[in-house]
Amino acid sequence: MVNTRSKTKMADNADLLALLAEMKKSMEKGQEEMRKGQEEMRKGQEEMRKGQEEMRKEQEEMRKEQEEMKNEIQSHVESKVEEIKDHVNSCIEKIEEDVQSVKREIGEVKGEVERKIEEVEDKVQGKIEEVKEKVQVKIGDLEKRLSELEDRPINFPANPDLTYSRPTVKSLTFDGQTSWTVFKTQFDVVSSANGWNNRVKASQLVASLRGSAAEVLQGIPSDKLTDLMTIENALEARFGDSHLTQFYRTELKTRRQKPGESLQVLAADVERLMSLAYAECPQDVRDSLAAQYFVDAIRDEDTQHATRLMDAKDLKSALAYSMKYEAAKTVSKTSRNVRSIEVEDGTGKEKDEKFDCLLKTLEKLLNSHVAGKRNTPRRNPNVTCWKCNKKGHVQRECQKISPNQEN
C-alpha cells in the first residue's frame, strides 16, 4: 500500500516536472519571440530616427529656400518702390512745369484781355463822342425849330379840358421793353410836375406809347382812349409785373456773381431785382434785404465772409466795404509776390532799380497818352453848326472860331 502511494506520488511529480519543462520551453520561446520583437522595434526606431533626421534636413533646406525667396522678394519690392518713387517724382516735376506753363499762359491771356478791354474802351469812347455830337446836332436842330415855333402865333380853340400850362418836365416814352411799374411811377411824377388833369394825362400817356406798347391801343374802344383808368388797366394787364413778384424773389435768392462780373454790376442788378421783388416793402427793410442778398451773391469766399462780418445795414455800405476788401486783398497778393521775388533773387537792389526805372517810364508814357486823349477830342468832321450853317463845329463853339480859322 505504501508502494502504491509512493508510485502515485512519483507519477505526479513526473507529470509536474514534465509540465514545468513544457512551461519553461514555452517561456523560452516567448522570450525569444519577445527578443525578436524588441530587435524589430529597435530597427523600426532606428529607421524612424533616420526618417526624422532626413525630415529635419528637408525642413532646414526648405527654411533656407524660404529665406532666399524672402530676400529676393524684398529686394524686388524695394526696387519696385524705388521705380515708383522715381516715377512719382518725375510726375510731380511735370505737373509743376505744367502749372508754371499755365500760369504763364494765364498771364499772357490776362495781358491780352486787358489790351482788348482798352481797345474796346477806346472804341466805346469814340462811339460815345460820336453819339454826343449827333445828339448835340439834334438838340441844335430842335432848339432852332422850337425858337421858330415860339415866334409863330398859334390859335387853339378854347377847350377847358385841353387847356394846361406848358410842360416844365419832358414827357416820357414806353415801348414795353422796360418795367411798366417804373414807367408809371415816372409818368405820375411828370404829370404832377406839369399839372395835368386826367384827360390830359390820358392823351400824354397815349402819345408816349411806342412799339408793342402802342399795340395795346388797338384793343381799347375809340371812345375810351381819353379815359386814363381804361388805358392804365390795359397796360397793367399786358405789361404789369405784379404776378412776377415771386419769380423776381426766386431770382434774387439764387443770384450769384458771375465770373468776371464786377461788384458794382452785381450790386446794380441786386438793386434792380429788389425794386421788382419787394416794391411794397418799406425802404429800411428793402435796404437790409438788399445788403443780405448782395453778400450771399459774392463769388469770392473771403470777401463774402469779411463783408458778412461787417454787418452792413444797406447795399451801399456793403458794396463799399467789399470793394475796399477786394482792393486790399489784391494789393496784399501783389506785395507778397514782390517780396518772394526779392527773396529768391540775389541781385534784388539792381532789380528794384531797373523795375523803378521801367515803372517811371511806363507812368510817363501813360500820362502822356491820357493827356493826349484828353487834349484831342474826337470830332465828327461832318457835324454842322445850325447857327452859321458851317461844318466842323457845333453851336456852343461857334463864337470861339474866327473867320480865318473857319476858312
Side-chain angles (χ1 to χ4, degrees), residues 257 261-268 290-291 294-312 314-330:
Q257 186 180 9
E261 185 180 25
S262 64
L263 293 173
Q264 298 94 319
V265 175
L266 175 63
F294 171 74
V295 174
D296 293 338
I298 295 176
R299 184 182 183 86
D300 186 72
E301 294 182 358
D302 295 337
T303 306
Q304 184 189 78
H305 182 65
T307 310
R308 195 186 304 279
L309 291 177
M310 186 258 183
D311 194 18
D314 52 31
L315 180 59
K316 184 178 180 181
S317 301
L319 175 61
Y321 184 82
S322 61
M323 291 179 63
K324 289 181 181 178
Y325 183 85
E326 195 175 62
K329 186 177 179 181
T330 304

Side-chain angles (χ1 to χ4, degrees), residues 44-253:
Q45 289 177 352
E46 185 69 22
E47 292 177 356
M48 186 180 294
R49 187 167 56 254
K50 291 180 180 180
Q52 290 177 351
E53 185 69 22
E54 291 178 357
M55 186 179 294
R56 187 167 56 254
K57 291 181 179 179
E58 291 178 357
Q59 289 178 352
E60 185 67 25
E61 292 177 356
M62 186 179 296
R63 186 166 58 252
K64 291 181 180 180
E65 290 178 357
Q66 289 178 350
E67 187 69 24
E68 292 177 356
M69 187 179 294
K70 182 179 178 181
N71 295 332
E72 184 179 357
I73 292 173
Q74 186 174 0
S75 61
H76 181 70
V77 169
E78 290 177 354
S79 62
K80 288 295 182 181
V81 169
E82 291 297 329
E83 292 178 0
I84 293 172
K85 285 183 179 179
D86 295 337
H87 182 68
V88 170
N89 292 330
S90 62
C91 291
I92 292 174
E93 292 177 356
K94 185 177 180 181
I95 291 172
E96 290 178 352
E97 292 177 358
D98 294 339
V99 169
Q100 295 298 329
S101 176
V102 170
K103 287 183 178 179
R104 288 192 297 270
E105 292 179 358
I106 290 174
E108 294 175 357
V109 171
K110 184 178 180 181
E112 185 66 23
V113 170
E114 290 177 352
R115 288 192 295 271
K116 292 292 185 182
I117 291 174
E118 291 178 357
E119 293 177 0
V120 171
E121 288 179 351
D122 293 339
K123 292 181 180 179
V124 170
Q125 188 66 28
K127 293 292 184 182
I128 291 174
E129 293 295 334
E130 293 178 3
V131 172
K132 283 183 179 179
E133 296 297 337
K134 292 180 180 180
V135 170
Q136 189 65 32
V137 172
K138 294 292 185 181
I139 291 175
D141 293 339
L142 292 175
E143 289 178 353
K144 183 178 180 180
R145 293 179 183 179
L146 183 60
S147 62
E148 293 176 355
L149 291 175
E150 289 177 349
D151 296 336
R152 185 185 304 171
I154 299 177
N155 296 323
F156 290 100
N159 189 341
D161 293 333
L162 297 177
T163 303
Y164 58 94
S165 60
R166 181 181 176 183
T168 58
V169 181
K170 185 179 178 181
S171 182
L172 308 173
T173 58
F174 178 67
D175 58 359
Q177 301 299 321
T178 57
S179 173
W180 159 250
T181 303
V182 175
F183 172 78
K184 185 176 182 303
T185 302
Q186 293 176 334
F187 183 79
D188 291 340
V189 173
V190 173
S191 302
S192 177
N194 292 334
W196 295 339
N197 56 29
N198 288 340
R199 191 177 183 85
V200 176
K201 288 173 66 176
S203 301
Q204 291 292 331
L205 181 58
V206 170
S208 66
L209 299 181
R210 301 286 187 275
S212 60
E215 297 176 358
V216 177
L217 300 176
Q218 297 177 0
I220 301 176
S222 57
D223 58 339
K224 294 292 185 179
L225 290 176
T226 56
D227 185 13
L228 179 63
M229 187 64 67
T230 301
I231 300 172
E232 288 183 348
N233 290 338
L235 292 171
E236 178 68 30
R238 175 70 179 276
F239 302 103
D241 50 9
S242 58
H243 61 287
L244 297 176
T245 301
Q246 190 60 40
F247 170 77
Y248 290 128
R249 292 182 180 180
T250 303
E251 186 177 0
L252 188 61
K253 291 179 181 179

Side-chain angles (χ1 to χ4, degrees), residues 330-342:
T330 304
V331 172
S332 298
K333 287 183 178 180
T334 305
S335 62
R336 284 199 298 270
N337 293 333
V338 172
R339 286 196 297 269
S340 63
I341 292 173
E342 291 177 352

Side-chain angles (χ1 to χ4, degrees), residues 354-364:
K354 293 181 180 180
F355 180 77
D356 292 338
C357 181
L358 179 61
L359 184 62
K360 290 179 181 179
T361 304
L362 291 176
E363 186 176 4
K364 289 180 181 179

